[in-house]
Amino acid sequence: QVQLQESGPGLVKPSQTLSLTCTVSGGSISSGIYYWSWIRQPPGKGLEWIGYIYYSGSTYYNPSLKSRLTMSVDTSKNQFSLKLSSVTAADTAVYYCARTVNEFLTVNSWGQGTLVTVSS
Amino acid sequence: DIVMTQTPLSSPVTLGQPASISCTSSQSLVHSDGNTYLSWLQQRPGQPPRLLIYKISNRFSGVPDRFSGSGAGTDFTLKISRVEAEDVGIYYCMEATQFPRITFGGGTKVEIK
């Protein structure tokens, strides 16, 4: 059974870059039947899709975040990563990495999530 | 952009009684391939979301059969036939009609009376 685990700093200063990595275990990130996703949830609020990366490196970003967002994948480490630049307090959220299955276009596996707080 | 509206915002339910959550989209969710990629997620307190239902009515692996999904076009429903204590949480609908972009509903909180 696949497991996803987010890692990265829990505190980022305003205007700096938020960086997170998701490590996938129990399955290959190179499987062509999945997209690898980032989704976030501000405290007490709903879910917001951030973007996807495919194992080939193709990316799809939420247009509202696109100018600040970079995703990458390292198939040798079975990891994918997120960088969000110029962060503000509005980027404070629990960040989830997740797996989207192509055939059903749904998110069928989630990491536990990591809280990232933007504060000086 | 597709907007997903869930009602009610909160649903107090007696244990053993049914619950129903509605999700309405601002436009038809029928994909160009003929499928409707509408899913339901459950988020228990302090936990990540969990997939319950995909493509309107298909239960994901391990999901109890008291959960069922229905609907078409712009109107969709998640039903819990008999609410159990472990069903407390927030439920989200999610659409992927304009994949790779996906949109979530605002969530419905299910709590025990």
Side-chain angles (χ1 to χ4, degrees):
Chain A
Q1 184 175 349
V2 70
Q3 292 188 322
L4 298 92
Q5 181 66 56
E6 306 87 353
S7 59
L11 181 64
V12 181
K13 289 182 167 51
S15 80
Q16 294 191 343
T17 297
L18 179 161
S19 297
L20 295 173
T21 295
C22 182
T23 300
V24 179
S25 57
S28 173
I29 203 169
S30 297
S31 172
I33 62 173
Y34 301 116
Y35 287 91
W36 302 96
S37 315
W38 289 99
I39 295 163
R40 69 180 182 179
Q41 185 173 37
K45 296 188 177 180
L47 301 164
E48 179 184 26
W49 169 69
I50 297 172
Y52 303 111
I53 188 164
Y54 198 49
Y55 78 97
S56 62
S58 297
T59 55
Y60 307 91
Y61 299 154
N62 186 323
S64 68
L65 299 169
K66 187 175 183 178
S67 63
R68 300 192 289 133
L69 198 54
T70 304
M71 292 185 186
S72 60
V73 62
D74 187 337
T75 55
S76 66
K77 295 182 179 179
N78 232 31
Q79 294 177 333
F80 61 104
S81 299
L82 163 75
K83 291 186 186 299
L84 184 65
S85 64
S86 305
V87 297
T88 69
D91 295 309
T92 293
V94 174
Y95 285 75
Y96 295 101
C97 60
R99 185 181 74 175
T100 300
V101 58
N102 292 359
E103 182 179 1
F104 307 126
L105 297 187
T106 192
V107 183
N108 69 347
S109 292
W110 296 71
Q112 285 298 305
T114 187
L115 174 63
V116 179
T117 301
V118 178
S119 174
S120 55
Chain B
D1 295 359
I2 296 175
V3 177
M4 305 292 286
T5 303
Q6 288 185 232
T7 55
L9 289 179
S10 178
S11 179
V13 185
T14 302
L15 286 173
Q17 293 301 301
S20 182
I21 299 169
S22 174
C23 178
T24 300
S25 60
S26 59
Q27 62 190 74
S28 173
L29 296 188
V30 179
H31 192 274
S32 56
D33 66 7
N35 290 302
T36 300
Y37 297 106
L38 186 284
S39 302
W40 289 96
L41 310 172
Q42 175 197 60
Q43 187 174 31
R44 291 170 172 153
Q47 295 293 313
R50 161 198 178 202
L51 177 63
L52 295 177
I53 302 282
Y54 63 93
K55 288 178 66 177
I56 301 178
S57 59
N58 295 273
R59 270 189 303 275
F60 187 54
S61 175
V63 174
D65 61 7
R66 65 179 181 274
F67 291 95
S68 64
S70 63
T74 60
D75 295 294
F76 304 91
T77 302
L78 175 71
K79 292 184 179 177
I80 310 174
S81 59
R82 296 172 304 279
V83 171
E84 298 188 5
E86 66 178 17
D87 300 336
V88 165
I90 301 176
Y91 291 76
Y92 295 93
C93 58
M94 184 197 94
E95 68 80 26
T97 303
Q98 297 175 339
F99 189 83
R101 186 166 188 175
I102 64 172
T103 306
F104 296 96
T108 295
K109 188 174 186 178
V110 171
E111 52 193 355
I112 305 300
K113 280 183 184 175

